[in-house]
Amino acid sequence: MTDSTDKKIALVTGAGRGIGKEIAVLLADKGHHVICVSRSEGSCGAVADTINANGGSAQSLALDVADKAAVKEACEKLLEEHGNIDILVNNAGITRDGLLFRMSDDDWEDVIATNLTSCFTWIKHLARPMTRKRWGRIINMSSVIGLTGNAGQANYAAAKAGMLGLTKSLAKEFAARNVTVNAIAPGFIATDMTAELNEKQQEAIVGMIPMKRMGTAADIAHTTAFLASEEAGYITGQVFTVDGGMVM
Ligand code: NAP
C-alpha cells in the first residue's frame, strides 16, 4: 500500500467480484478507505477482509442496489459515519439477455433497476455533500453495448446508454462545484459475467477485438483509479471506452 496523505472515502458497488473487486483493491492500494458493496456479505465481506489484512482500510456493505429504501438508509448511515463520500463508483450490474419477443417485463425492469436506476439513487443521496465540499468523483460503469447496442441485450443496452445520458447531464450540473462525473465503457472483460458465454462465443468475440484478447478487470480498475484521482480533476462528462480497440 502506498502511504497517501490524501486519503479519500470511496464507495464501490459490485465490489464482491470481477471488475468491482479489482477497483476496490486498487483504490485501497492508493491509500483510500473503501466501502465495498455487493449483494452478498460473503463476497463484499471477503474483499474488505483481504484489503484490511493487506494493510489497507475497508468495510463491507451487503445490499441490493435496486432497493431504493435500503440504499437511502445505508447512505444516511455512511454519511453519519464518514461525513462525506468522496469517490463513488457505480459498478454493480447484471444481464438478463434475450431477444425482445422473449424478454419478460421482469427481465427488462430488473436490468434497468440494477444497472441504471441504482446510479440515480446513489448519486442522489451522496452527491450533495460532495458539492458542498467542492470535491467529488463519480464514475459510472457503462459498456460498449451502451454505445453500439446488441441483439439480445435491449434491456442491458438501454440501461448502459441511459447511464451515459445521466453521466453527461450530472457532469453539467456539478461541474461548477468541482465534482466530476465520467463513464467507462468496457469492452469484453474476463469476469464471471463473460464466463457465462460458451467457448465458441468467446472465440468469436476475441476475433472481433483488434488486440486479440479479452480485457482484464485490472485494465478497467486502472482507468477508474485515474478518473478518481486529483490529476483527473479537469475531466468531466466523458465516456472512456476500454475495449482493445473494438469500438472506434
Ligand atoms: P460480475 O463479475 O458479474 O460481478 C458483479 C458484481 O455486482 C458482484 O459483486 C455482484 O454482487 C454485484 N451485484 C450485482 N447485482 C447487484 C445488486 N442488485 N446489488 C448489489 N450488488 C450487485 O460483473 P463484472 O463483469 O465485474 O461487471 C461489473 C460491471 O461492469 C457491470 O456493471 C457490467 O455491466 C460492466 N461491464 C462488464 C463487462 C464484462 O465484459 N465483464 C463489459 C462491459 C461492462 P455479488 O458478488 O454479491 O453477487
Side-chain angles (χ1 to χ4, degrees), residues 183-207:
I184 298 174
F188 288 94
I189 309 300
T191 67
D192 290 351
M193 191 177 266
T194 42
E196 285 173 15
L197 302 166
N198 64 38
E199 209 174 308
K200 214 170 153 199
Q201 288 170 314
Q202 296 204 18
E203 268 171 26
I205 285 165
V206 170

Side-chain angles (χ1 to χ4, degrees), residues 13-21 37-44 61-67 90-95 110 113-115 118 122 141-145 156 160 163 184-196 214-215 217 220:
T13 70
R17 290 180 283 125
I19 293 170
K21 175 181 176 180
V37 179
S38 76
R39 259 176 315 211
S40 63
E41 180 58 35
S43 72
C44 61
L61 173 62
L63 53 69
D64 178 355
V65 295
D67 181 339
N90 281 310
N91 166 79
I94 56 166
T95 51
D110 289 352
T114 304
N115 294 270
S118 68
W122 285 106
M141 201 58 67
S142 178
S143 168
V144 288
I145 301 302
Y156 185 75
K160 294 302 188 185
M163 289 172 74
I184 298 174
F188 288 94
I189 309 300
T191 67
D192 290 351
M193 191 177 266
T194 42
E196 285 173 15
M214 279 208 188
I220 306 304

